[in-house]
Amino acid sequence: MKAGRDRWRAAAGDTAEALVARLKELLNEEQARDMGIEQKNFVKYRDWVIAAEAHGVEKPWPLTELEVNTLDVLGALQVAQLLAWRLGEKEVECTRASLGKFIGEMVEEMSKAERKLYLVSAHDTTVLPLLVAFGVHDGLWPPFCANIAVELWENQELVDRAAEIGSAEAEEDRFLVRVVYNGEEKLRMTLGEFGELLQHKIPANWNGECGVGSKLLSRASGGSNF
């Protein structure tokens, strides 16, 4: 986590410095401190501003549309940097520790003979890391009511073909995975390819890799997300 914060502060740049100066003009010293503005922690203030706008609540501090958009983008970048977004093996390591257990359970459920429809509710700070894990994060914060649909389709033509010619390859490829984010298709591949995409992001021993304490371990290892 400390490494992620350091990455964020190094990547923030002049735009973040300008926003810090602007917010310090609008907020009193106590408010700025509580929001973490001096440390370029924009997530807390961003949540407040975006929620106020979504519900039509008048903001006590005037921000232009450009400033709100800048706050939104920098907040997303801040979380993405904590996840080592686009940093190769570091990103994989962060994904394994944060969502790897959930991803592994999801792929396992999709590979079972009997499949169910699952509806999972989560915060935007779970949606964003999942987009990073899928490799489709666009650099923006998930909007209100953001949703990710991981769909599993069966190609009946391939099922029939596999039965006719006895092709194991056709049998394996009969399932297609689509990842749809807010109504827009982001990924389309076979189930096998989907598993390969995520395989290195699934920890073989989540408890061991995360090194969690005994209290958290008893809660985290006791069940499944599905």
Side-chain angles (χ1 to χ4, degrees):
M1 186 64 73
K2 181 181 183 301
R5 289 194 293 266
D6 291 342
R7 281 193 300 269
W8 157 241
R9 289 165 187 159
D14 294 340
T15 302
E17 292 288 355
L19 185 59
V20 167
R22 171 61 173 154
L23 295 180
K24 288 173 71 175
E25 292 177 358
L26 298 174
L27 307 175
N28 62 41
E29 185 176 341
E30 182 180 0
Q31 291 167 338
R33 183 178 63 254
D34 289 345
M35 294 287 183
I37 301 302
E38 191 68 50
Q39 289 74 40
K40 301 185 180 68
N41 183 359
F42 298 123
V43 172
K44 189 173 183 179
Y45 187 68
R46 176 245 165 234
D47 281 352
W48 192 92
V49 170
I50 299 300
E53 282 202 337
H55 294 284
V57 177
E58 185 177 353
K59 299 185 295 294
W61 307 293
L63 289 172
T64 66
E65 183 176 351
L66 177 60
E67 289 170 338
V68 171
N69 290 338
T70 300
L71 182 65
D72 201 41
V73 170
L74 288 176
L77 179 59
Q78 180 181 345
V79 174
Q81 287 295 326
L82 291 175
L83 296 165
W85 181 42
R86 293 179 174 173
L87 291 179
E89 288 302 314
K90 290 186 182 297
E91 179 189 304
V92 172
E93 181 182 344
C94 289
T95 298
R96 289 171 71 93
S98 59
L99 283 176
K101 188 171 185 286
F102 171 81
I103 292 170
E105 291 170 354
M106 177 182 64
V107 174
E108 182 180 355
E109 287 295 319
M110 295 174 74
S111 303
K112 288 182 178 179
E114 293 185 7
R115 299 171 177 86
K116 303 177 182 179
L117 170 67
Y118 290 98
L119 300 177
V120 181
S121 177
H123 289 285
D124 43 9
T125 45
T126 300
V127 173
L128 195 157
L130 193 55
L131 294 173
V132 170
F134 289 153
V136 298
H137 177 48
D138 57 7
L140 302 176
W141 195 283
F144 271 97
C145 298
N147 61 89
I148 303 175
V150 182
E151 303 174 347
L152 183 64
W153 293 73
E154 185 175 29
N155 188 327
Q156 189 59 48
E157 291 182 1
L158 287 180
V159 174
D160 297 338
R161 180 185 171 200
E164 290 175 5
I165 65 177
S167 170
E169 182 179 348
E171 174 73 12
E172 291 175 357
D173 289 345
R174 78 183 195 274
F175 288 108
L176 181 73
V177 176
R178 292 176 73 233
V179 174
V180 181
Y181 175 54
N182 292 337
E184 181 181 348
E185 183 179 282
K186 295 294 185 179
L187 286 179
R188 178 192 289 256
M189 57 184 62
T190 66
L191 177 58
E193 292 169 338
F194 188 66
E196 290 177 5
L197 172 70
L198 298 172
Q199 184 177 14
H200 63 302
K201 300 178 181 180
I202 300 171
N205 182 354
W206 182 83
N207 300 336
E209 288 191 26
C210 290
V212 296
S214 57
K215 289 184 179 180
L216 177 59
L217 178 60
S218 64
R219 296 198 302 269
S221 61
S224 166
N225 291 285
F226 293 92

